[in-house]
Amino acid sequence: MTKIIIGRYIPGSALIYKFDARGKLLVTFLFVFAIFLANNWPTYLVATLYTGLAIMGTGLRAHVFWDGVKPMVLLILFTSALQLFFSTGGTVYFHWWGLWLTSTGIVNAIFIFLRFTLIILISTVMTVTTQPLAISDAMEWLLTPLKWVGVPVAQLALVMSIALRFVPTLFDETLKIMNAQKARGADFNSGGLIKRSKAIAPLIIPLFISSLEIAVDLATAMEARGYQGTSGRTRYRVLSWQKYDLLNAGAFVVLLILLKVLG
Amino acid sequence: MSIKFKHVSYVYAPATPFEQKGLDDVSFELKENQFIALIGHTGSGKSTLMQHFNALLQPSSGEIALAGHRITPTTKQRDLKTLRQQVSLVFQFPEAQLFESTVLADIAFGPKNFGYTDAEAKKLALKWLEKVGLPKSIANKSPFELSGGQMRRVAIAGVMAYEPAILCLDEPAAGLDPKGRHMMLELFKAYQARGHTVILVTHNMDDVADYADDVLVMEHGRLLRHTTPSEVFKDRAWLLKHGLGQPAASEFAAQLAENGLPLLPQPLTLTALTHRLVAHFKGGE
C-alpha cells in the first residue's frame, strides 16, 4: 500500500547516512552553540562552507533543504529586518523616525540571517539522513545522565519508538476509515467551519477506537512475550561507533578550531 | 450499460522515492447485474482496482466508464457524489467505520448523506438491519456493545442501505464463522439477483465457484485473466503457479482423478461433486 515518509527521512546511500545517529545528533546540537562563536566574515564563511559540505555530502537534491527552510522563512526575514533597522553604529546611510539603516545593521542582519539558516540546514541534514527510530535511540543515549536522577529514560524512549512505529499504521487506518466514510457519502472537503468540524466525527471516533484497540493488543502481545519493564533488557538495534564517525567528529573539531582561531 | 476500464494505470506516490505502480494498463468490460469475483494473491492490485470503481482513487492514466459516469485522471472529485451513491464499497473489516451512538443512526448515515430524509433513512436502516439478519431489538444499542460479527453486519447494512447499483466488497466474510459467512454471501447473491451488480474481492475459491458468473484475476497490478469460474479453475498447475488454488470440490476431484477415478466435467461446487459421484457409482453398478 501507500508508503509514507515518517518525519523527513529520505533513504540514501551517501557516507553521511552511515554516521552514527548519536554523533549526528550531538554535532547538530553542538552546532547551534558553535555558530555563536562566529562573529565576522571569515568565521561565517567557514560555517557556511561546513554546512555546504554537509549538504553536498547527503547527495540529495537542493529542494529537500529548501523544504526544510521554507516554514521558517518569515521568522528569519523578520528577525533579520529587526537587526537591519534597529541596530545603530557604523556609517549611517538612512535615518527616519526610529528606523536606522547603518553599516553595522546591514552586517548584523546578514549574520543573523546566516546563523538561522545554517542551523536549520544542519538540522535538516540530520533529519533527512537519519531514521526516526535511530534518532529516538540516540536521544535515549544522550539522556542517559537523567537515568541517574530517576528519570525512566528507557521507558520514555520505548514510548517514543512505539509512537514512531505506529505513525504509518495510524496513517493507513485514517486513510482507510476516511475512504470508507467517503464511500458512504461523507464529505470532508466542503462547507463552512461548523460543517467541516461536524464532518470530522465519523473519522475521529473510529480512529480513536481503533487506536485504543491497537494499544491494548500491543500491550497484551508485549506482556505475552514477557515484557515487564525495561531493566536488564538488551536491545535489537545496537548503535555502534564506526570509523566513519571519526570523520564526522573530525570535521566538527576542525570547524570549532577554525571558528576559534578566526573569531 | 456496462462497466468499462480502458488502459487504466495507477501510480502510488508519483515522483517520490516511494513511487510504486498499483495498476498497470488494465482493460476489461464487465456486464451489469452479474456477480463478479476479483481474485489474486495479496498485493496483486485487487484493492487498488476496487477503489477505482467509485473513484476513491482516480486513474493516473486511462479511462473508466460506469453507472453513467466517465472517470479520467482529471475528473473533479466534487462531481463524483452521485457516483458514490450508485457504486459503493465495503472495505475489509468494515466494522472499523462505525461511529454513531446507535446502530440505527449508523446505518442511516449513508442514506442521509445521499439525500434521503430522516424518516426515509430510518425506514431503510430498519429494513437493512433485518436483511443482514440482526434483531430489531439492537436498533437503539450502541454499535460498540455488539459482537464482532454483529458489528460487521451493521457496517455492511450501512453500505447496502442506500441500495447502490454496483456493490463492491473486499473480503466481506473474512473472520466470520462458517454460518455467518454463508448467510452473508447468500445475502449478496440475492441482492445481485434483484438486479444489482456485485463485485467480490476474495481469497476463497469456493465462494468464487459457488457464486460468481465472471472472474477477474489480478497479478502485479495487471489483469492476468478475465473469464468464467469453470474456465479459470480448469488448470490446476496454472492456478498454483499464480498463488491461487482450486475450490475444495475441484481439489477433491483432482485427487480422485490421481487415484484413478476421473470425474468429468470438472465439478466446481460441492453439489456438482455430489451429483458426479452419485452418477458415477450408479452408472458403474
Side-chain angles (χ1 to χ4, degrees):
Chain A
M1 282 311 287
T2 333
K3 297 271 191 305
I4 51 146
I5 305 164
I6 324 162
R8 289 186 298 174
Y9 176 70
I10 297 170
S13 54
L15 187 61
I16 201 162
Y17 283 88
K18 299 196 178 85
F19 289 174
D20 192 285
R22 291 169 294 182
K24 277 191 270 187
L25 191 64
L26 205 58
V27 163
T28 308
F29 187 62
L30 294 177
F31 183 84
V32 176
F33 296 97
I35 194 86
F36 283 95
L37 291 174
N39 53 8
N40 55 22
W41 291 110
T43 44
Y44 271 103
L45 185 69
V46 167
T48 311
L49 276 177
Y50 175 84
T51 311
L53 280 176
I55 289 175
M56 284 193 326
T58 63
L60 296 168
R61 281 179 294 174
H63 80 89
V64 171
F65 298 94
W66 167 238
D67 286 346
V69 177
K70 207 163 48 182
M72 305 294 283
V73 159
L74 272 181
L75 184 67
I76 297 174
L77 289 180
F78 178 71
T79 319
S80 306
L82 284 186
Q83 286 293 328
L84 189 60
F85 295 114
F86 293 100
S87 318
T88 48
T91 327
V92 178
Y93 298 117
F94 181 75
H95 177 208
W96 184 72
W97 291 61
L99 302 181
W100 298 78
L101 191 62
T102 64
S103 55
T104 319
I106 292 173
V107 170
N108 279 348
I110 294 173
F111 283 176
I112 286 281
F113 176 83
L114 280 175
R115 191 181 293 169
F116 256 115
T117 314
L118 294 181
I119 289 174
I120 295 167
L121 287 174
I122 281 290
S123 29
T124 307
V125 168
M126 198 270 292
T127 50
V128 295
T129 62
T130 318
Q131 298 215 27
L133 273 178
I135 297 179
S136 156
D137 289 346
M139 297 263 260
E140 181 185 353
W141 179 81
L142 283 181
L143 294 176
T144 308
L146 289 179
K147 267 186 202 163
W148 306 326
V149 292
V151 179
V153 172
Q155 276 97 327
L156 288 176
L158 184 70
V159 166
M160 205 153 89
S161 307
I162 290 174
L164 284 170
R165 154 67 185 80
F166 279 96
V167 168
T169 308
L170 291 178
F171 185 83
D172 281 351
E173 197 67 24
T174 312
L175 212 64
K176 195 189 126 183
I177 294 167
M178 209 160 162
N179 275 336
Q181 307 299 28
K182 267 181 167 171
R184 291 208 280 168
D187 187 352
F188 297 106
N189 302 317
S190 67
L193 194 63
I194 295 173
K195 195 177 163 223
R196 279 195 196 204
S197 35
K198 270 189 186 162
I200 214 97
L203 179 61
I204 291 294
I205 294 170
L207 193 60
F208 197 70
I209 288 167
S210 60
S211 313
L212 286 177
E213 277 170 3
I214 290 171
V216 170
D217 284 352
L218 178 70
T220 313
M222 283 170 72
E223 276 179 352
R225 287 178 292 168
Y227 179 83
Q228 291 187 327
T230 38
S231 64
R233 285 184 82 221
T234 52
R235 34 179 64 249
Y236 176 65
R237 298 182 304 273
V238 181
L239 294 170
S240 65
W241 299 106
Q242 306 282 334
K243 56 180 183 300
Y244 320 109
D245 292 309
L246 287 174
L247 183 63
N248 186 16
F252 189 68
V253 169
V254 170
L255 171 76
L256 282 181
I257 292 170
L258 283 175
L259 289 180
K260 195 78 193 139
V261 171
L262 298 169
Chain B
M1 282 300 292
S2 63
I3 301 167
K4 248 185 236 167
F5 274 57
K6 273 186 242 163
H7 304 290
V8 173
S9 294
Y10 184 78
V11 182
Y12 282 106
T16 69
F18 304 101
E19 181 173 307
Q20 205 185 354
K21 263 203 170 153
L23 289 182
D24 188 2
D25 193 18
V26 172
S27 299
F28 58 80
E29 187 171 349
L30 301 172
K31 288 200 195 82
E32 287 199 342
N33 305 338
Q34 283 202 326
F35 199 111
I36 297 133
L38 180 51
I39 59 176
H41 59 79
T42 315
S44 59
K46 297 181 308 255
S47 296
T48 312
L49 179 62
M50 196 183 86
Q51 292 180 54
H52 279 78
F53 282 108
N54 75 346
L56 281 175
L57 295 179
Q58 278 176 254
S60 305
S61 67
E63 190 185 315
I64 302 165
L66 82 173
H69 284 75
R70 229 177 114 250
I71 307 157
T72 65
T74 50
T75 308
K76 295 265 188 320
Q77 280 285 324
R78 65 168 173 274
D79 300 332
L80 293 167
K81 196 152 178 174
T82 50
L83 174 76
R84 301 261 156 85
Q85 181 171 7
Q86 288 163 312
V87 186
S88 203
L89 245 58
V90 176
F91 285 88
Q92 258 179 55
F93 304 107
E95 53 274 28
Q97 74 194 30
L98 303 177
F99 73 98
E100 275 284 10
S101 48
T102 68
V103 167
L104 203 65
D106 208 290
I107 302 176
F109 176 71
K112 272 198 222 164
N113 281 332
F114 292 122
Y116 289 92
T117 63
D118 283 6
E120 285 167 342
K122 206 178 151 190
K123 221 175 118 193
L124 282 171
L126 273 171
K127 173 181 160 193
W128 281 95
L129 183 67
E130 275 190 276
K131 283 217 173 207
V132 296
L134 291 170
K136 265 190 179 160
S137 58
I138 66 162
N140 289 314
K141 275 195 180 175
S142 158
F144 302 108
E145 289 171 33
L146 307 179
S147 72
Q150 286 177 317
M151 282 168 84
R152 174 79 56 90
R153 283 166 203 227
V154 171
I156 288 172
V159 173
M160 295 181 78
Y162 45 92
E163 305 187 358
I166 302 174
L167 178 67
C168 309
L169 305 130
D170 193 351
E171 288 280 357
L176 291 183
D177 57 54
K179 196 178 152 205
R181 168 177 209 102
H182 181 75
M183 191 243 129
M184 272 288 141
L185 283 151
E186 287 295 328
L187 175 74
F188 304 139
K189 187 69 192 172
Y191 188 69
Q192 179 250 325
R194 278 202 315 280
H196 303 94
T197 310
V198 171
I199 300 171
L200 178 74
V201 176
T202 185
H203 285 295
N204 188 311
M205 298 304 144
D206 287 306
D207 292 347
V208 179
D210 288 342
Y211 298 104
D213 305 308
D214 204 9
V215 185
L216 294 171
V217 187
M218 295 291 294
E219 190 178 70
H220 302 310
R222 259 176 259 176
L223 180 65
L224 205 56
R225 284 187 81 177
H226 176 197
T227 181
T228 57
S230 51
E231 273 301 311
V232 84
F233 291 131
K234 251 183 195 160
D235 190 346
R236 189 157 171 246
W238 183 87
L239 287 164
L240 292 176
K241 193 182 134 209
H242 294 286
L244 302 164
Q246 282 184 309
S250 310
E251 190 69 29
F252 188 80
Q255 286 182 21
L256 281 180
E258 269 174 31
N259 291 289
L261 182 60
L263 295 174
L264 287 169
Q266 178 200 33
L268 295 183
T269 62
L270 287 178
T271 324
L273 176 68
T274 319
H275 285 311
R276 301 278 139 78
L277 281 175
V278 169
H280 178 85
F281 286 115
K282 279 205 170 148
E285 270 168 25

